[in-house]
Amino acid sequence: MKLLIACVVMALCHTVRGWLFDDLNDSLNEYSCGTIIASPYQSDFQYYYRGTIAVTKSGITCQNWSDRMDILEGDVAAGLGGHNYCRNPDEGERAWCYTETVAESTGERWEYCDVPECDSTCGSVDKKQADYRGIIHTTRSGYTCQKWTDQSPHTHDMTPEKKPDSGLSGHNNCRNPDGGDKAWCYTTDPDTRWEFCNVDNC
Protein backbone atom coordinates (compact mmCIF):
# COMPACT_ATOMS: atom_id res chain seq x y z
CA MET A 1 0.00 0.00 0.00
CA LYS A 2 2.80 2.47 0.92
CA LEU A 3 4.53 1.73 -2.37
CA LEU A 4 1.30 2.36 -4.30
CA ILE A 5 0.71 5.69 -2.53
CA ALA A 6 4.31 6.76 -3.19
CA CYS A 7 3.97 5.96 -6.88
CA VAL A 8 0.71 7.92 -7.15
CA VAL A 9 2.25 10.94 -5.40
CA MET A 10 5.36 10.85 -7.62
CA ALA A 11 3.26 10.61 -10.78
CA LEU A 12 1.05 13.50 -9.66
CA CYS A 13 4.05 15.71 -8.83
CA HIS A 14 5.66 14.97 -12.18
CA THR A 15 2.41 15.81 -13.99
CA VAL A 16 1.98 19.11 -12.13
CA ARG A 17 5.62 19.97 -12.80
CA GLY A 18 5.02 19.26 -16.46
CA TRP A 19 2.03 21.61 -16.58
CA LEU A 20 4.05 24.40 -14.95
CA PHE A 21 7.03 24.08 -17.27
CA ASP A 22 4.86 23.54 -20.36
CA ASP A 23 3.17 26.89 -19.65
CA LEU A 24 6.57 28.52 -19.16
CA ASN A 25 8.09 27.05 -22.28
CA ASP A 26 5.01 27.79 -24.44
CA SER A 27 5.74 31.47 -23.89
CA LEU A 28 9.44 31.12 -24.75
CA ASN A 29 9.55 31.07 -28.54
CA GLU A 30 8.17 27.54 -28.95
CA TYR A 31 10.79 25.79 -26.84
CA SER A 32 13.72 27.64 -28.43
CA CYS A 33 15.51 27.41 -25.09
CA GLY A 34 15.63 25.26 -21.96
CA THR A 35 15.43 26.42 -18.37
CA ILE A 36 18.22 25.67 -15.91
CA ILE A 37 16.58 25.53 -12.48
CA ALA A 38 17.83 23.76 -9.38
CA SER A 39 16.43 24.16 -5.89
CA PRO A 40 15.27 21.93 -3.03
CA TYR A 41 11.75 22.15 -4.48
CA GLN A 42 12.17 21.76 -8.22
CA SER A 43 14.71 21.19 -10.96
CA ASP A 44 14.58 21.24 -14.72
CA PHE A 45 18.04 21.25 -16.33
CA GLN A 46 16.41 21.57 -19.78
CA TYR A 47 14.30 18.43 -19.28
CA TYR A 48 11.36 20.17 -20.98
CA TYR A 49 13.35 21.52 -23.92
CA ARG A 50 11.55 20.53 -27.13
CA GLY A 51 13.49 22.52 -29.73
CA THR A 52 15.25 21.31 -32.85
CA ILE A 53 18.95 21.80 -32.11
CA ALA A 54 20.61 18.63 -33.35
CA VAL A 55 24.34 19.29 -32.97
CA THR A 56 26.56 19.09 -29.90
CA LYS A 57 28.58 21.93 -28.43
CA SER A 58 31.58 20.92 -30.55
CA GLY A 59 29.54 20.68 -33.74
CA ILE A 60 28.99 16.92 -33.95
CA THR A 61 25.66 15.92 -35.52
CA CYS A 62 23.41 14.11 -33.06
CA GLN A 63 22.41 10.51 -33.62
CA ASN A 64 18.74 9.54 -33.95
CA TRP A 65 17.47 8.42 -30.53
CA SER A 66 15.68 5.42 -32.06
CA ASP A 67 19.01 4.18 -33.45
CA ARG A 68 20.38 3.78 -29.93
CA MET A 69 17.39 2.64 -27.91
CA ASP A 70 13.84 1.33 -28.01
CA ILE A 71 11.56 4.33 -27.53
CA LEU A 72 9.14 3.54 -24.71
CA GLU A 73 6.13 5.53 -23.48
CA GLY A 74 8.17 7.18 -20.74
CA ASP A 75 10.80 8.16 -23.30
CA VAL A 76 8.20 9.91 -25.46
CA ALA A 77 7.16 11.94 -22.41
CA ALA A 78 10.82 13.00 -22.11
CA GLY A 79 10.77 14.27 -25.68
CA LEU A 80 12.44 11.30 -27.36
CA GLY A 81 11.31 9.76 -30.63
CA GLY A 82 12.40 9.17 -34.20
CA HIS A 83 14.55 12.29 -34.34
CA ASN A 84 18.03 13.47 -33.32
CA TYR A 85 17.19 16.64 -31.37
CA CYS A 86 19.02 17.39 -28.12
CA ARG A 87 17.12 16.29 -25.02
CA ASN A 88 17.75 15.51 -21.35
CA PRO A 89 15.79 12.31 -20.64
CA ASP A 90 17.93 11.31 -17.66
CA GLU A 91 17.72 14.77 -16.04
CA GLY A 92 21.48 15.26 -16.13
CA GLU A 93 23.24 18.64 -16.14
CA ARG A 94 21.61 19.87 -19.38
CA ALA A 95 20.36 18.72 -22.80
CA TRP A 96 22.61 16.27 -24.67
CA CYS A 97 22.55 13.65 -27.39
CA TYR A 98 24.22 10.49 -28.60
CA THR A 99 26.74 10.85 -31.43
CA GLU A 100 28.02 8.60 -34.20
CA THR A 101 31.63 9.43 -33.29
CA VAL A 102 33.45 9.75 -29.99
CA ALA A 103 33.25 13.30 -28.59
CA GLU A 104 36.55 14.74 -27.38
CA SER A 105 34.95 16.35 -24.32
CA THR A 106 33.51 13.08 -22.97
CA GLY A 107 35.65 10.36 -24.56
CA GLU A 108 32.37 8.61 -25.39
CA ARG A 109 29.67 8.67 -28.04
CA TRP A 110 27.62 11.47 -26.47
CA GLU A 111 28.05 15.15 -25.69
CA TYR A 112 26.19 18.10 -24.19
CA CYS A 113 24.46 20.53 -26.52
CA ASP A 114 24.52 24.32 -26.53
CA VAL A 115 20.79 24.72 -25.97
CA PRO A 116 20.18 28.39 -25.11
CA GLU A 117 19.19 29.00 -21.50
CA CYS A 118 15.79 30.66 -21.05
CA ASP A 119 16.85 32.09 -17.71
CA SER A 120 20.11 33.60 -19.04
CA THR A 121 19.24 37.28 -19.40
CA CYS A 122 22.62 38.99 -19.07
CA GLY A 123 26.36 38.51 -19.49
CA SER A 124 29.07 39.04 -16.90
CA VAL A 125 31.02 42.29 -17.25
CA ASP A 126 34.32 40.71 -16.22
CA LYS A 127 33.89 38.03 -18.90
CA LYS A 128 32.78 40.54 -21.55
CA GLN A 129 29.47 38.63 -21.79
CA ALA A 130 31.26 35.48 -23.01
CA ASP A 131 29.08 33.55 -20.55
CA TYR A 132 25.80 34.83 -21.99
CA ARG A 133 23.63 31.92 -23.14
CA GLY A 134 20.28 33.65 -23.69
CA ILE A 135 18.06 33.96 -26.76
CA ILE A 136 18.58 37.54 -27.97
CA HIS A 137 19.18 37.20 -31.72
CA THR A 138 19.01 40.74 -33.06
CA THR A 139 21.72 43.40 -33.05
CA ARG A 140 21.49 46.83 -31.48
CA SER A 141 20.44 48.27 -34.85
CA GLY A 142 17.76 45.63 -35.30
CA TYR A 143 19.49 43.28 -37.74
CA THR A 144 18.63 39.58 -37.44
CA CYS A 145 21.65 37.47 -36.51
CA GLN A 146 23.07 34.86 -38.87
CA LYS A 147 23.26 31.31 -37.54
CA TRP A 148 26.75 30.52 -36.30
CA THR A 149 26.76 27.31 -38.32
CA ASP A 150 25.87 29.15 -41.56
CA GLN A 151 28.43 30.60 -43.96
CA SER A 152 26.03 32.88 -45.80
CA PRO A 153 25.72 35.76 -46.30
CA HIS A 154 28.99 36.06 -44.35
CA THR A 155 31.76 33.45 -44.27
CA HIS A 156 33.62 33.16 -40.97
CA ASP A 157 35.60 30.87 -38.68
CA MET A 158 33.55 31.37 -35.49
CA THR A 159 32.10 27.87 -35.63
CA PRO A 160 31.20 25.34 -32.90
CA GLU A 161 34.01 23.11 -34.14
CA LYS A 162 36.60 25.84 -33.60
CA LYS A 163 34.95 27.42 -30.55
CA PRO A 164 33.32 24.43 -28.75
CA ASP A 165 32.86 26.18 -25.41
CA SER A 166 31.38 29.41 -26.74
CA GLY A 167 27.73 28.34 -27.05
CA LEU A 168 27.50 28.55 -30.84
CA SER A 169 25.73 25.37 -31.94
CA GLY A 170 22.46 25.29 -33.85
CA HIS A 171 21.14 28.84 -33.37
CA ASN A 172 21.65 32.51 -34.21
CA ASN A 173 21.71 33.99 -30.69
CA CYS A 174 24.22 36.68 -29.69
CA ARG A 175 27.49 35.37 -28.25
CA ASN A 176 31.08 36.53 -27.69
CA PRO A 177 33.36 33.73 -28.94
CA ASP A 178 36.37 35.92 -29.74
CA GLY A 179 36.85 37.91 -26.53
CA GLY A 180 35.48 41.12 -28.00
CA ASP A 181 33.95 43.94 -25.98
CA LYS A 182 30.54 42.25 -25.53
CA ALA A 183 28.10 39.80 -27.12
CA TRP A 184 27.65 40.21 -30.87
CA CYS A 185 26.73 38.29 -34.01
CA TYR A 186 27.12 38.20 -37.77
CA THR A 187 24.03 39.63 -39.43
CA THR A 188 21.78 38.37 -42.23
CA ASP A 189 22.27 41.69 -44.03
CA PRO A 190 24.86 41.19 -46.80
CA ASP A 191 26.05 44.78 -46.33
CA THR A 192 26.55 44.57 -42.54
CA ARG A 193 28.99 41.82 -41.57
CA TRP A 194 28.54 41.94 -37.77
CA GLU A 195 27.30 44.13 -34.95
CA PHE A 196 27.11 44.19 -31.16
CA CYS A 197 23.86 43.16 -29.44
CA ASN A 198 21.91 44.84 -26.67
CA VAL A 199 22.66 42.20 -24.05
CA ASP A 200 22.52 43.56 -20.51
CA ASN A 201 25.50 43.32 -18.19
CA CYS A 202 25.15 41.27 -14.99
Side-chain angles (χ1 to χ4, degrees):
M1 178 60 78
K2 288 182 179 179
L3 179 60
L4 176 61
I5 293 174
C7 290
V8 171
V9 170
M10 288 177 64
L12 180 60
C13 288
H14 197 276
T15 300
V16 170
R17 191 180 97 172
W19 292 338
L20 291 173
F21 280 100
D22 282 346
D23 288 343
L24 172 63
N25 280 324
D26 281 341
S27 66
L28 290 166
N29 196 22
E30 298 182 348
Y31 305 102
S32 63
C33 56
T35 51
I36 300 290
I37 297 175
S39 76
Y41 309 104
Q42 63 183 19
S43 62
D44 181 2
F45 300 110
Q46 300 181 340
Y47 177 82
Y48 290 100
Y49 170 68
R50 297 296 182 269
T52 57
I53 291 176
V55 291
T56 70
K57 67 176 189 175
S58 64
I60 303 174
T61 299
C62 294
Q63 186 177 8
N64 195 305
W65 292 98
S66 59
D67 290 345
R68 290 292 293 269
M69 56 192 295
D70 294 326
I71 306 299
L72 305 177
E73 184 176 349
D75 300 319
V76 174
L80 304 188
H83 61 75
N84 68 332
Y85 304 138
C86 301
R87 295 290 185 263
N88 189 9
D90 60 352
E91 301 191 58
E93 291 183 16
R94 59 187 303 115
W96 59 278
C97 68
Y98 289 115
T99 60
E100 292 279 2
T101 58
V102 174
E104 186 176 336
S105 67
T106 62
E108 299 179 32
R109 288 174 55 191
W110 72 272
E111 191 173 41
Y112 289 118
C113 301
D114 277 327
V115 170
E117 299 173 12
C118 304
D119 41 352
S120 178
T121 58
C122 59
S124 300
V125 175
D126 60 333
K127 296 181 180 178
K128 298 182 179 180
Q129 298 185 342
D131 58 343
Y132 173 68
R133 293 295 182 269
I135 57 174
I136 293 174
H137 55 272
T138 54
T139 71
R140 61 187 179 187
S141 295
Y143 293 113
T144 299
C145 294
Q146 175 182 315
K147 285 183 70 171
W148 296 98
T149 50
D150 288 350
Q151 293 293 327
S152 177
H154 305 290
T155 59
H156 62 92
D157 58 1
M158 296 294 165
T159 63
E161 292 85 357
K162 294 185 177 179
K163 302 285 184 177
D165 297 314
S166 297
L168 305 180
S169 296
H171 60 77
N172 67 334
N173 300 311
C174 301
R175 297 290 185 262
N176 186 10
D178 65 346
D181 291 337
K182 60 179 300 181
W184 59 278
C185 69
Y186 296 107
T187 82
T188 53
D189 183 339
D191 298 322
T192 304
R193 180 169 172 79
W194 70 275
E195 195 172 62
F196 288 119
C197 303
N198 282 331
V199 173
D200 291 332
N201 286 322
C202 296

